[in-house]
Amino acid sequence: MKKLYFLIILLVTCMCTSCVDIVERYNFKASGACDVIYDFDMSRAVAVLHNLLSDSVTATPQFAMVKDTVMNLYSALPDSTQDKLSIEQTKLAKSSNLAIDMNLKKDIMKVSIRHQADSPAGLEYYLQQLSKLANYNQLAKKGNAVNIFNAQQLIAGQDCYSYQVTTHKFCRIIDKTKFNNFLKKTQSTFAMAKAMLIDMPYKVVLNFAKPVKKIDNKKAVLSADRKQVILQTNMDELIKNPTVMNLQIDF
């Protein structure tokens, strides 16, 4: 069972994943704490791929499994992965939650990873470490019924960004070298998604406790009260211009 949950984590920890509607949400509080939520909706991709899977796969107990639950992220990791975590990474996993809404037969596959950082430094550490938690273990064996995405390739995407977070600034910059290497490894995956007419939307929503003073991305949309920033693109645009999702916000 843990292998199944861990596979789901692997499916969603890549922020550049294809076949997924991705929304990053940051809710900054006046105290300096921040609730960060990664919502991943793979339902559209499941609906497309459902028709391509063999009857032997869709008839397995794994494919028929239905889940609607929230659990501690640490408890969802395999024992072998837990043993490899550092003390700080263990604390991070234990302070995060994993929400799963899965019914593959009804083409539903939604996952959220949720965490509350108690400080800007805590948020920065979380953003830098999240993908590493999944990188410690290999994927489940081939033949797992829910292994319908090439998560082993896609896992590298989250590591393409570097972050700087302070009490008055949120900054993330893409590493073009890492991103180009990521694209080389995932060409077949993105080609498959494009052939299926999957547009791969990617949205970042940041809510602040006080008005934003400055944004350096012209695509970012600032709300009338200057307390919300929304930046939206898709994978095609990101491939053409990797810096499109760079953000520096002063607040």
Side-chain angles (χ1 to χ4, degrees):
M1 187 63 66
K2 281 189 175 183
K3 285 185 177 180
L4 176 60
Y5 288 140
F6 187 65
L7 178 58
I8 293 170
I9 296 171
L10 288 170
L11 290 172
V12 302
T13 48
C14 167
M15 301 315 302
C16 298
T17 302
S18 63
C19 309
V20 182
D21 294 316
I22 304 170
V23 181
E24 297 179 50
R25 301 182 189 276
Y26 300 85
N27 298 319
F28 292 88
K29 301 180 180 181
S31 64
C34 181
D35 293 327
V36 55
I37 304 168
Y38 293 126
D39 287 327
F40 304 87
D41 189 347
M42 292 168 275
S43 300
R44 290 191 305 129
V46 170
V48 173
L49 293 173
H50 194 163
N51 295 326
L52 303 179
L53 297 176
S54 66
D55 292 340
S56 61
V57 173
T58 58
T60 60
Q62 292 94 334
F63 194 88
M65 185 178 296
V66 176
K67 288 291 176 182
D68 187 1
T69 186
V70 178
M71 69 187 72
N72 181 265
L73 179 59
Y74 181 80
S75 66
L77 297 174
D79 294 339
S80 58
T81 300
Q82 292 177 359
D83 293 341
K84 295 177 182 178
L85 299 181
S86 67
I87 294 176
E88 290 301 318
Q89 288 171 333
T90 297
K91 290 180 181 178
L92 189 68
K94 288 183 176 180
S95 63
S96 303
N97 288 325
L98 175 68
I100 301 171
D101 182 7
M102 180 175 69
N103 187 331
L104 299 183
K105 286 187 176 295
K106 293 185 177 181
D107 299 329
I108 297 173
M109 184 67 164
K110 299 179 181 180
V111 180
S112 294
I113 299 178
R114 307 166 182 174
H115 178 76
Q116 183 178 82
D118 58 6
S119 66
L123 175 59
E124 182 176 318
Y125 180 78
Y126 172 77
L127 296 173
Q128 293 171 341
Q129 294 294 321
L130 179 59
S131 64
K132 295 179 182 179
L133 294 178
N135 263 330
Y136 275 102
N137 202 40
Q138 295 179 349
L139 287 173
K141 295 180 180 179
K142 293 182 180 180
N144 190 310
V146 298
N147 190 12
I148 56 178
F149 304 102
N150 195 339
Q152 191 167 18
Q153 289 183 341
L154 296 174
I155 194 65
Q158 173 68 359
D159 194 41
C160 292
Y161 291 97
S162 61
Y163 291 88
Q164 181 184 8
V165 186
T166 71
T167 54
H168 300 290
K169 178 183 293 186
F170 177 89
C171 179
R172 76 174 195 176
I173 303 294
I174 196 164
D175 184 315
K176 292 183 180 180
T177 299
K178 288 184 177 181
F179 185 70
N180 288 334
N181 290 335
F182 164 71
L183 290 180
K184 291 177 182 178
K185 295 177 181 178
T186 55
Q187 286 179 347
S188 60
T189 301
F190 292 131
M192 179 184 69
K194 193 168 185 177
M196 293 178 182
L197 303 180
I198 299 174
D199 57 1
M200 301 168 279
Y202 180 9
K203 180 189 292 185
V204 181
V205 180
L206 304 102
N207 297 305
F208 297 92
K210 51 189 176 183
V212 169
K213 296 177 180 178
K214 181 182 178 182
I215 310 174
D216 74 345
N217 189 317
K218 294 181 179 180
K219 281 183 63 69
V221 178
L222 183 62
S223 64
D225 64 0
R226 303 185 67 85
K227 291 185 177 181
Q228 184 183 72
V229 175
I230 297 179
L231 180 58
Q232 188 167 359
T233 187
N234 57 55
M235 196 62 202
D236 282 344
E237 184 178 24
L238 186 59
I239 291 173
K240 295 175 183 177
N241 179 16
T243 65
V244 70
M245 293 298 278
N246 284 353
L247 265 178
Q248 181 170 319
I249 303 174
D250 297 330
F251 56 92

